[in-house]
Amino acid sequence: MLYSVYELNHLAMTPWRAVANATRRMMQLPGNPMGDTYAGRSVAAAADLFESMTRRYVKPEWMLEPVEINGHKVPVTETVVWSQPWCNLLHFVRDPEALKAAGVKKAQPKVLFVAPMSGHYATLLRGTVEAFLPDHEVYITDWTDARTVPITDGRFDLDDFTTYVRAMLTELGGDTHVVAVCQPGPPVLAAIALMAEDKDPARPLSMTFMGSPIDTRLSPTVPNKLAEEKPYEWFADNLIHTVTLPNTGAMRQVYPGFLQLTGFINMNLDRHVDAYKEYFANLVKGNGDDADRHNAFYDEYLAVMDLSEEFYLQTIRDVFQEHKLALGTQEVKGRLVKPASITDIALLTIEGENDDISGIGQTQAAHTLCADLPDSLKEDWVQPDVGHYGVFNGRRFREQIAPMMKRFMVEKGDLARAER
C-alpha cells in the first residue's frame, strides 16, 4: 500500500513540477524585467527549490574526467566485465595509448571496491574511485536496484551477495586487492574466509574494511540500537513493501529506498534543513558556484535504490541482531564461515573517529576474527575528525587515507605473496 501511495504522490506532483520549471525559466529569461529584481530572483529560487524537493532522483552517471598521470590526461571508459541480474562488475579502463604516453609501462595493482548495498548507488564512491585511478586498475560492484529486477529473476539474499563477491574475485584473479566500504564488510570477510579455507588461488592479496559493521556490539550507534531494540518481526511487518507498476520489478517484496533515505535524513535533519535554506539564499543572491555544489551533493545523496526483502531482513537478523560472524555461527548456503582460516591475506581496517553509523571498534573486530593471521599482515587506522562519509570520501580521504591504503597494498601485498 505504501509503495502505491509513493508512486501516486510522484505522479500527482508531475504537473506542479512542470509549472515550477516553467516559472523558473520565465523568471530567468534575459528579456524579463522582473528577472534581475529581488522579487523575481526569489520566485525563481522558490520554483527551483520546489522542483528539486519533489523530483525523483535517478541513478547518477559516473561521468569520470580523464585522469592525470605524469602530466598527461588519460581518458577513462566504464566497461562491464562481469554481469548477473543483481550486479554488474565495472572496470574503469584507462586508455592504453595514453597510459604509454604517460610513461606507465607495466601492469598496475588491481583493486576491487565492493560498494555498499544499503540504499545508495555505487556512484557514491566516485571520489574513492578517482583517488585510485592514477595508479591502479579499478573495479567496482554496481548493485542493481531491486525495483528494476523482474520477479522471474529470483531472490537475492545475503548469502547470494557473498557468493557474488567470491565469483567476482575469481573473475579478477589472485593478484587483486579488495576493499569493502561499510555494509559489505561481513559478506566480503565471509567470502574471503571460504576462499582461504579452500586455498582458492583466486583469493586476494589484501582485504580492506572501511567503516564496516563486523561486530556491531562494539560502540553501538543509533542505527545499531534501533536494529536490536526492535524485534525481527517489526522490520518484516513495517518496512517491507510490494513494488508496483510501472516498475519492471513489480510484485517483488522490497525494503524501499525512500524509507532508507527518510532514516538517513532524520539522523541529521537540522543539517539538511540548513543546507536547503542556504541553497535558497544562494539562488536569490546569484551565487551559482555554491548552488551547484549543493546540487552535486544532493543529486547523489537523494538517489536511492530498493533492497530485496530477503537481503535486507537477513542482514538485520544475521549482522545486527544475532551477530553471527562475530560469534562464529555465520553460514553461507549451509557452510560455516571460519575467518581464522585466513593466514596469507593482508588485513587493513579503517574507522572514522566521529562515525555515527559504524562505531569505533566495529571494523577493528576483523583483527580478532582473523586470529591466525600474522601481525605482520595486519594494520589498523583510525582517522581523526571524520564521520562515516569521510572515511571513504573528501579531503582527508584523498590526502591521508588513500595514500596510506596504497602504501599498505604494495607493502603488505608483497608480504602476502611471499607467504604463498
Side-chain angles (χ1 to χ4, degrees):
M1 182 64 182
L2 182 63
Y3 216 103
S4 298
V5 172
Y6 169 72
E7 291 290 352
L8 287 172
N9 181 68
H10 175 70
L11 289 172
M13 286 290 120
T14 299
W16 295 105
R17 282 192 299 275
V19 170
N21 274 323
T23 300
R24 176 175 55 81
R25 287 194 295 268
M26 181 181 67
M27 286 298 170
Q28 293 174 341
L29 286 173
N32 188 341
M34 284 284 292
D36 200 34
T37 66
Y38 180 82
R41 292 195 302 272
S42 297
V43 170
D48 189 295
L49 189 64
F50 176 84
E51 192 280 334
S52 67
M53 294 185 71
T54 58
R55 167 194 346 155
R56 177 177 293 170
Y57 288 78
V58 298
K59 180 181 180 180
E61 299 292 333
W62 282 96
M63 296 186 297
L64 294 173
E65 297 291 331
V67 60
E68 184 169 329
I69 302 176
N70 299 327
H72 290 75
K73 295 289 187 180
V74 178
V76 179
T77 304
E78 172 191 335
T79 305
V80 177
V81 295
W82 180 92
S83 182
Q84 290 292 322
W86 292 90
C87 185
N88 288 324
L89 176 59
L90 304 182
H91 178 202
F92 297 107
V93 181
R94 298 167 301 168
D95 182 78
E97 295 302 318
L99 277 179
K100 289 180 184 177
V104 179
K105 298 179 180 179
K106 63 178 183 178
Q108 294 182 306
K110 290 187 290 188
V111 58
L112 167 62
F113 288 99
V114 183
M117 192 175 181
S118 56
H120 285 108
Y121 292 97
T123 49
L124 192 67
L125 304 187
R126 184 182 291 102
T128 320
V129 167
E130 290 173 338
F132 277 77
L133 276 174
D135 35 35
H136 287 75
E137 291 292 344
V138 179
Y139 299 80
I140 195 167
T141 59
D142 185 22
W143 302 105
T144 308
D145 186 345
R147 70 171 171 259
T148 69
V149 182
I151 197 167
T152 53
D153 281 334
R155 294 163 61 83
F156 184 83
D157 62 14
L158 190 61
D159 287 7
D160 295 317
F161 188 111
T162 305
T163 303
Y164 269 38
V165 170
R166 179 168 186 172
M168 286 183 274
L169 286 171
T170 300
E171 177 74 18
L172 296 180
D175 57 345
T176 303
H177 303 272
V178 60
V179 180
V181 181
C182 189
Q183 170 271 320
V188 169
L189 182 54
I192 294 173
L194 295 176
M195 297 178 81
E197 186 178 10
D198 294 341
K199 296 297 181 185
D200 191 327
R203 63 191 186 276
L205 289 173
S206 77
M207 51 184 174
T208 298
F209 301 99
M210 310 180 74
S212 294
I214 304 296
D215 187 351
T216 60
R217 297 173 300 172
L218 307 174
S219 304
T221 60
V222 171
N224 302 153
K225 292 175 182 176
L226 173 64
E228 287 206 285
E229 289 170 357
K230 300 287 187 182
Y232 176 86
E233 292 74 20
W234 183 89
F235 291 94
D237 293 341
N238 293 280
L239 300 183
I240 302 302
H241 298 276
T242 304
V243 178
T244 58
L245 292 171
N247 300 287
T248 54
M251 303 307 294
R252 182 177 293 282
Q253 295 287 102
V254 300
Y255 172 49
F258 60 81
L259 286 183
Q260 179 80 319
L261 181 61
T262 300
F264 286 149
I265 291 176
N266 284 338
M267 285 182 64
N268 297 285
L269 182 59
D270 291 344
R271 186 185 305 172
H272 294 296
V273 170
D274 290 342
Y276 273 91
K277 287 180 179 177
E278 186 176 351
Y279 175 61
F280 179 83
N282 284 324
L283 289 175
V284 174
K285 290 186 292 186
N287 190 345
D289 289 343
D290 285 344
D292 288 344
R293 279 192 287 271
H294 171 97
N295 284 329
F297 174 79
Y298 279 99
D299 283 353
E300 191 78 54
Y301 188 78
L302 298 177
V304 290
M305 56 187 286
D306 295 353
L307 310 180
S308 71
E309 170 195 24
E310 53 276 12
F311 172 82
Y312 175 71
L313 291 179
Q314 188 182 354
T315 299
I316 289 292
R317 184 192 65 205
D318 292 5
V319 177
F320 294 98
Q321 294 186 338
E322 298 183 5
H323 316 288
K324 288 187 175 181
L325 180 63
L327 294 174
T329 60
Q330 182 176 354
E331 295 182 353
V332 175
K333 298 188 182 298
R335 183 177 172 187
L336 186 66
V337 174
K338 304 172 184 177
S341 300
I342 302 172
T343 59
D344 57 7
I345 302 169
L347 168 63
L348 171 64
T349 55
I350 304 172
E351 296 180 320
E353 181 184 33
N354 303 324
D355 194 333
D356 57 356
I357 303 294
S358 296
I360 294 290
Q362 294 186 13
T363 310
Q364 293 169 346
H367 292 278
T368 302
L369 295 179
C370 299
D372 291 340
L373 186 64
D375 289 342
S376 60
L377 291 178
K378 294 180 179 180
E379 280 194 30
D380 174 58
W381 182 279
V382 177
Q383 179 64 43
D385 302 321
V386 301
H388 188 71
Y389 188 75
V391 169
F392 57 87
N393 222 326
R395 179 177 60 83
R396 289 188 177 89
F397 170 78
R398 292 190 303 272
E399 296 177 0
Q400 299 177 46
I401 298 176
M404 178 273 300
M405 291 172 65
K406 296 176 184 181
R407 187 268 311 157
F408 166 84
M409 290 176 186
V410 172
E411 294 179 3
K412 302 301 184 182
D414 287 342
L415 287 177
R417 191 179 284 109
E419 288 283 332
R420 303 176 187 182

